[in-house]
C-alpha cells in the first residue's frame, strides 16, 4: 500500500501526461509560454480570484509576497506553531520575527483566540510591529477565515493564506486560495494538486500586487528581463510542469477532490468510536492533503505505527516537532505554556494513507489493524 499513490494516478492519465510533456519538448519552449498562461487562467477561474501568478515552489510564493509587502526586520508575522517549516522560514528569511500561535485541537488550524492575545502582547511590548497573519490550511482544511478576517481588520494586518496543502478546500462554497489579501499554494508532488517536481502559485484580487510580483519573480525586471528596476529572484514554473498540471487539474476537478472525500467518509465511518478522527466543521470542505487521527499517548501512537508497518501500511507523523522547538528558531524566546495543543499533538497524531485512488479493501485493512490494536 502507498501513502500517496502517484503511480496509480499516472497510470490512469499516462496517455494525456505523456503527450503533454512531449508537446513541450517538441515545441522546445521550456520556460513560460502558452501552457503556463492557460494554467494560470484555469487556476484563477477555479479558485474564483482575478489573478494567479505561478512560480517555482510554494516557499517562493510566500517569499515573493513578503518581498512585495516589504516585510523586514522589526516586523511581527503570526504563524501557527503546527505546520511545515516553510511557513515560519520565509518570515525569518526576510529578517522579520515569526510569532508562533497554538492551534485549535479539532481543526489543527490556528487558534484565533490565542492569535488575538498574541497580537495584543506584541503591541503591549512595543518592540515589534504586527504586520501579517499567515493562517495555514493544514491537511487540506481551510483555517477559520471568518474570524481571522475580523481580527485582521481590527488590527489592520495583512492576511496571507498558506494553502500549500489546501488547494480545493472551501468554506460555504468559497474556495481555498481566495482568502486574505493574497494566498499561495504548492505543486510539490504529494500536495492535493501536485506536479512532477517543484511548483507554486500566488492568488490575489489585488491588481496592484500583480505587476510587482511579476517583476520580483524575474530578477526585478522592468520592461523586460534585461531592464532591472529592483532586486528580485528567479522563480518561474517550468513549462513541462505547467503541461503536467493542466492534465492533473482536469482530473482534480473531475473526480479527485470527490474521491478523497469519499475516502475520508469511509475512514470516519469505520473508525467511529475507535479513535479520534478528523473533524470537518459545517460548511467547510477539506481537500485532504492528509487524513490524521489522534491517539491517547505517544506510546500508543508509536506502537500503532509499528503495527501498521508490519502489515505493509505506511503512515507518517505530521509534525514531529512544533515550530517553536526547531533549532533554527532557537534565538527566539517562547513561553512553553503557550503551545499546549501543539505540544500534545506532536506526540499523538498519525496520518494514514490518503489519496484519490485508495480502494475500499485497503481502507478496510488499515481500519482492521487499528481496531485490532485499540479495541
Ligand atoms: C509544502 C508546504 C509549503 C512549501 O511548499 P514547497 O512547494 O515545498 O516550497 C509551505 N507551507 C506548507 C504548510 C506546506 O505544507
Amino acid at each position: 500500500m502507498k501513502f500517496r499513490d502517484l503511480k496509480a494516478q499516472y497510470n490512469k492519465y499516462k496517455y494525456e501526461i505523456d503527450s503533454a510533456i512531449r508537446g513541450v519538448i517538441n515545441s522546445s519552449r521550456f520556460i513560460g509560454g502558452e501552457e503556463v498562461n492557460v494554467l494560470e487562467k484555469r487556476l484563477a477561474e477555479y479558485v474564483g480570484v482575478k489573478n494567479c501568478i505561478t512560480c517555482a515552489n510554494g516557499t517562493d510564493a510566500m517569499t515573493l509576497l513578503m518581498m512585495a509587502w516589504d516585510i523586514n526586520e522589526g516586523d511581527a508575522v503570526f504563524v501557527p506553531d503546527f505546520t511545515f517549516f516553510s511557513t515560519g522560514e520565509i518570515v525569518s528569511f526576510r529578517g522579520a520575527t515569526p510569532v508562533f500561535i497554538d492551534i485549535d485541537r479539532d481543526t489543527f488550524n490556528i487558534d484565533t483566540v490565542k492569535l488575538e492575545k498574541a497580537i495584543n502582547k506584541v503591541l503591549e511590548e512595543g518592540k515589534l510591529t504586527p504586520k501579517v497573519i499567515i493562517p495555514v490550511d493544514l491537511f487540506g482544511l481551510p483555517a477559520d477565515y471568518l474570524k481571522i478576517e475580523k481580527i485582521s481588520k481590527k488590527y489592520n494586518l495583512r492576511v496571507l493564506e498558506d494553502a500549500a496543502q489546501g488547494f480545493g478546500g472551501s468554506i460555504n462554497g468559497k474556495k481555498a486560495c481566495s482568502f486574505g489579501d493574497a494566498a499561495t499554494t504548492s505543486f510539490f508532488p504529494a500536495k492535493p494538486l501536485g506536479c512532477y517536481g517543484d511548483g507554486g502559485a500566488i492568488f490575489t484580487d489585488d491588481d496592484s500586487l500583480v505587476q510587482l510580483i511579476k517583476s520580483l519573480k524575474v530578477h526585478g525586471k522592468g520592461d523586460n528581463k534585461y531592464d532591472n528596476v529592483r532586486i528580485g529572484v528567479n522563480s518561474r514554473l517550468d513549462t513541462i510542469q505547467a503541461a503536467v498540471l493542466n492534465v492533473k487539474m482536469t482530473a482534480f476537478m473531475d473526480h479527485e477532490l470527490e474521491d478523497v472525500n469519499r475516502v475520508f467518509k469511509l475512514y470516519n465511518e469505520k473508525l467511529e468510536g475507535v479513535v479520534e478522527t478528523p473533524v470537518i466543521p459545517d460548511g467547510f470542505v477539506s481537500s485532504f492533503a492528509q487524513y490524521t487521527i489522534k491517539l491517547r499517548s505517544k506510546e500508543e501512537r508509536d506502537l500503532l505505527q509499528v503495527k501498521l508497518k508490519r502489515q505493509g501500511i505506511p503512515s507518517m507523523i505530521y509534525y514531529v516537532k512544533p515550530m517553536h522547538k526547531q533549532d533554527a528558531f532557537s534565538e527566539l524566546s517562547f513561553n512553553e505554556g503557550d503551545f499546549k495543543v501543539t505540544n500534545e499533538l506532536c506526540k499523538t497524531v498519525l496520518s494514514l494513507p490518503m489519496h484519490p485512488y485508495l480502494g475500499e479493501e485497503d481502507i478496510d485493512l488499515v481500519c482492521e489493524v487499528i481496531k485490532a490494536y485499540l479495541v
Side-chain angles (χ1 to χ4, degrees):
M1 199 182 310
K2 296 264 170 44
F3 187 71
R4 193 160 188 97
D5 198 344
L6 297 174
K7 197 64 187 279
Q9 184 194 43
Y10 176 62
N11 287 340
K12 180 160 178 173
Y13 292 99
K14 185 174 172 18
Y15 176 77
E16 289 88 339
I17 290 172
D18 288 356
S19 343
I21 293 173
R22 213 175 309 115
V24 176
I25 296 172
N26 279 329
S27 79
S28 293
R29 170 143 200 194
F30 296 106
I31 302 281
E34 211 34 37
E35 292 279 7
V36 177
N37 297 337
V38 167
L39 177 69
E40 288 178 341
K41 277 208 191 80
R42 291 179 74 196
L43 287 167
E45 198 177 307
Y46 176 79
V47 162
V49 298
K50 282 202 263 176
N51 310 289
C52 170
I53 307 154
T54 53
C55 63
N57 56 67
T59 305
D60 276 7
M62 291 195 283
T63 301
L64 285 162
L65 282 168
M66 293 287 110
M67 292 171 80
W69 289 340
D70 201 26
I71 302 306
N72 288 307
E73 194 175 343
D75 294 338
V77 177
F78 301 87
V79 175
D81 195 37
F82 195 60
T83 178
F84 179 60
F85 183 62
S86 176
T87 320
E89 179 181 32
I90 55 114
V91 177
S92 296
F93 185 71
R94 292 288 302 163
T97 304
V99 178
F100 298 117
I101 311 292
D102 207 4
I103 53 155
D104 175 78
R105 200 176 172 284
D106 284 341
T107 61
F108 300 109
N109 284 329
I110 197 163
D111 181 320
T112 51
V113 173
K114 290 178 181 170
L115 168 65
E116 188 163 5
K117 274 193 195 142
I119 296 169
N120 279 309
K121 194 168 158 222
V122 169
L123 287 170
E124 278 158 26
E125 284 173 357
K127 287 187 206 134
L128 300 169
T129 314
K131 286 279 176 76
V132 184
I133 306 167
I134 312 187
V136 175
D137 301 344
L138 205 77
F139 303 154
L141 180 69
D144 191 348
Y145 291 100
L146 312 170
K147 289 198 186 125
I148 291 163
E149 275 163 21
K150 271 190 201 133
I151 295 172
S152 68
K153 284 212 179 77
K154 183 167 165 191
Y155 296 93
N156 194 24
L157 305 177
R158 284 194 166 105
V159 174
L160 191 181
E161 175 190 5
D162 177 358
Q165 301 179 14
F167 187 82
S170 56
I171 307 175
N172 298 324
K174 187 171 158 50
K175 290 273 187 204
C177 296
S178 73
F179 296 102
D181 298 276
T184 58
T185 198
S186 163
F187 304 123
F188 180 80
K191 308 278 170 157
L193 178 63
C195 61
Y196 285 170
D198 278 310
I202 297 161
F203 298 84
T204 186
D205 277 326
D206 180 354
D207 293 327
S208 71
L209 265 182
V210 176
Q211 284 322 306
L212 180 53
I213 286 174
K214 283 189 175 169
S215 164
L216 285 168
K217 71 174 236 185
V218 185
H219 308 289
K221 71 174 177 158
D223 290 337
N224 63 70
K225 194 168 123 180
Y226 304 102
D227 168 38
N228 308 92
V229 298
R230 57 178 63 85
I231 301 300
V233 294
N234 173 18
S235 186
R236 297 174 293 227
L237 181 73
D238 291 347
T239 315
I240 285 180
Q241 300 303 345
V244 170
L245 282 167
N246 273 319
V247 176
K248 291 222 205 176
M249 176 87 192
T250 305
F252 187 87
M253 293 190 298
D254 282 355
H255 67 92
E256 287 186 349
L257 181 59
E258 273 167 49
D259 287 343
V260 287
N261 275 280
R262 172 186 55 80
V263 174
F264 150 64
K265 288 199 183 86
L266 285 171
Y267 265 138
N268 264 30
E269 278 166 28
K270 293 173 200 282
L271 293 175
E272 207 197 320
V274 176
V275 69
E276 266 193 81
T277 52
V279 178
I280 306 301
D282 279 348
F284 284 63
V285 171
S286 172
S287 56
F288 281 98
Q290 305 297 340
Y291 179 91
T292 303
I293 58 173
K294 299 179 192 108
L295 285 301
R296 284 167 297 197
S297 67
K298 183 172 187 309
E299 296 67 37
E300 189 178 71
R301 189 266 312 270
D302 291 349
L303 189 54
L304 175 60
Q305 190 168 37
V306 171
K307 302 236 173 207
L308 288 165
K309 197 171 171 205
R310 278 195 203 130
Q311 301 296 318
I313 301 166
S315 62
M316 300 287 286
I317 301 169
Y318 296 122
Y319 294 92
V320 176
K321 237 190 223 189
M323 293 288 266
H324 77 276
K325 285 191 182 149
Q326 294 286 2
D327 284 348
F329 297 121
S330 61
E331 277 169 34
L332 305 174
S333 54
F334 304 105
N335 184 352
E336 208 44 49
D338 289 345
F339 306 106
K340 271 211 181 92
V341 179
T342 306
N343 285 339
E344 177 209 330
L345 291 183
C346 287
K347 296 188 188 108
T348 57
V349 288
L350 191 65
S351 299
L352 303 178
M354 166 53 92
H355 58 85
Y357 302 88
L358 191 64
E360 190 160 357
E361 317 80 73
D362 282 345
I363 299 169
D364 278 335
L365 179 62
V366 175
C367 296
E368 286 315 314
V369 175
I370 296 173
K371 277 184 209 160
Y373 171 56
L374 291 178
V375 181

